[in-house]
Amino acid sequence: MTDLMRACLVSEFGGPEVLQFGEAPRPYIANSDTLVRVKAAGVNPIDVKTRSGKGVSRFVDRFPWIPGNEFAGIVEEAPYELAPFQPGDEVFGMLLTPHYQGSFAEYVSVPFMSLAKKPKSMSWAQAGATPLAALTAWAGVVDAARVHTGQRMLIHAGAGGVGHFAVQLAHFYGAYVIATASERNLEFLRELGADEVIDYRNRRFEEAITEPVDVVLDLIGNVAANTGSRSLQVLRDGGLIINVPTGSWPEMHEEVAATNRSLQASTLKLSPEGRILTTIAQLADQGDLRCHLDATLPLEELAQAHELIADGHVRGKIAVEIG
Ligand SMILES: NC(=O)c1ccc[n+]([C@@H]2O[C@H](COP(=O)([O-])OP(=O)(O)OC[C@H]3O[C@@H](n4cnc5c(N)ncnc54)[C@H](OP(=O)(O)O)[C@@H]3O)[C@@H](O)[C@H]2O)c1
């Protein structure tokens, strides 16, 4: 087997044109790492932000850099004989960010605790595009909000990558889900399990919501129409706002304090945990969670995926196929 692999190679930050393709050394495995032959990988807003010199670009300490955070593929090499994932196993997983050798490549090396068995019900592209957004949705809906029956939850951007998983998880665990999207996505949100849908372009959500909510999962912040600040108006006393896009609303804590109400506020960071992915895979295989793909492209068309994501209106996720 050759020691080289095909990969996306970025030599400087910039526009989509910096996404070049060539050969790179195959990653080696150390400690509990598992070598995975990547079949498909998901594309996320963090990829676009980092490529342009924002996001987590400050942690990229050498070029060429291989971007990509999540993937699905087949185990090529296990760290030891009885490790949980052995050659031939079909897996999906996520890399700890930041990293140097990402998943837009033929091979990725990842600690086995960040892997889970690929859901049988998902295609390679769906499985490759699930981990980052689904783990973020889990961190917000399950870990931070402690979702439960009857809890009223407002989810902004419910039709996007994180949002469409969050709507499904909140619905599955019994919450009353209110979600925002533009008109073309309202039926999609209902199919995912939203109890109420609001077209944010035609109605102010704070006027449409007549009964206060317990939790707001804010996937927009104040970068569009002060969505974060306005969300405080719909929270009940003691309610919780979770702001997910880092940097989209830096004044959140000050604004919450200024309300002089007993509101809670939190940002969020996801953790690449295989055990949670195992639960996500179970939910998928029992028919309670799906990954909607807006587009599936070959790796070499990654720039097109970046442009679609930068436009801000992807429904569900975008995946690239590799190999
Ligand atoms: N902190 C973390 O660890 C973490 C993890 C994951 C993601 N994030 C961040 O969280 C954000 C969301 O991620 P994502 O992957 O879900 O993004 P995404 O898939 O690109 O979101 C696209 C969705 O946003 C909706 N949208 C756009 N403007 C809206 C508005 N004003 N109100 C309501 N919906 C709107 C669009 O619906 P329409 O087309 O119907 O408008 C579209 O479906 C990103 O900024 C991402 O970087 C942070």
Side-chain angles (χ1 to χ4, degrees):
M1 188 186 301
T2 169
D3 287 327
L4 292 176
M5 65 173 183
R6 200 160 53 89
C8 173
L9 300 168
V10 172
S11 297
E12 59 179 327
F13 298 125
E17 70 283 355
V18 303
L19 299 167
Q20 299 288 319
F21 301 90
E23 290 194 323
R26 237 177 50 176
Y28 58 86
I29 67 170
N31 302 318
S32 67
D33 288 351
T34 299
L35 187 71
V36 178
R37 183 157 52 86
V38 179
K39 301 282 285 181
V43 192
N44 294 282
I46 190 65
D47 296 315
V48 177
K49 295 173 190 176
T50 304
R51 183 219 71 220
S52 69
K54 299 175 191 150
V56 293
S57 61
R58 63 189 179 285
F59 300 114
V60 176
D61 60 357
R62 62 197 128 143
F63 290 115
W65 158 64
I66 303 175
N69 299 292
E70 59 183 354
F71 58 88
I74 300 171
V75 172
E76 185 86 13
E77 200 176 326
Y80 58 94
E81 295 82 346
L82 292 179
F85 304 103
Q86 290 295 317
D89 284 351
E90 298 187 350
V91 295
F92 70 149
M94 195 193 144
L95 293 155
L96 190 64
T97 49
H99 50 259
Y100 160 63
Q101 286 183 308
S103 57
F104 297 134
E106 282 181 294
Y107 292 91
V108 73
S109 171
V110 57
F112 66 67
M113 66 179 144
S114 295
L115 290 171
K117 287 269 170 73
K118 169 188 167 289
K120 289 187 173 44
S121 57
M122 285 189 180
S123 65
W124 285 113
Q126 286 173 313
T130 290
L132 189 148
L135 286 169
T136 306
W138 184 279
V141 171
V142 180
D143 291 340
R146 300 176 185 203
V147 61
H148 53 267
T149 305
Q151 185 183 43
R152 288 173 61 80
M153 192 179 299
L154 168 63
I155 299 173
H156 287 302
V162 178
H164 91 300
F165 286 122
V167 169
Q168 294 177 82
L169 286 173
H171 170 71
F172 176 76
Y173 287 112
Y176 183 88
V177 181
I178 306 170
T180 63
S182 64
E183 206 266 330
R184 72 179 189 100
N185 280 320
L186 299 184
E187 192 48 39
F188 175 62
L189 290 180
R190 287 192 195 95
E191 285 166 15
L192 297 174
D195 297 284
E196 277 180 48
V197 294
I198 302 171
D199 173 2
Y200 67 89
R201 286 184 174 153
N202 286 320
R203 282 188 88 185
R204 290 180 76 79
F205 62 84
E206 62 273 41
E207 288 165 11
I209 296 172
T210 49
E211 197 183 321
V213 301
D214 301 296
V215 175
V216 176
L217 186 67
D218 171 25
L219 295 163
I220 298 289
N222 274 0
V223 293
N226 280 338
T227 300
S229 300
R230 287 162 52 213
S231 295
L232 300 182
Q233 298 172 37
V234 304
L235 274 177
R236 69 160 170 82
D237 285 339
L240 166 68
I241 183 151
I242 303 162
N243 173 251
V244 180
T246 315
S248 67
W249 185 19
E251 310 81 12
M252 175 177 71
H253 289 290
E254 287 76 11
E255 284 187 33
V256 167
T259 64
N260 285 321
R261 296 174 57 208
S262 58
L263 300 178
Q264 302 174 75
S266 181
T267 54
L268 182 149
K269 294 248 186 321
L270 79 161
S271 164
E273 285 183 50
R275 287 179 190 186
I276 300 172
L277 284 178
T278 298
T279 303
I280 286 165
Q282 282 164 356
L283 290 175
D285 284 344
Q286 70 195 37
D288 290 310
L289 194 83
R290 66 187 164 104
C291 173
H292 177 88
L293 288 179
D294 206 344
T296 304
L297 303 164
L299 175 64
E300 283 71 14
E301 289 175 26
L302 187 57
Q304 191 188 329
H306 276 226
E307 280 162 4
L308 288 169
I309 289 174
D311 198 36
H313 298 287
V314 170
R315 177 187 289 174
K317 293 286 314 262
I318 296 183
V320 292
E321 290 179 318
I322 301 165

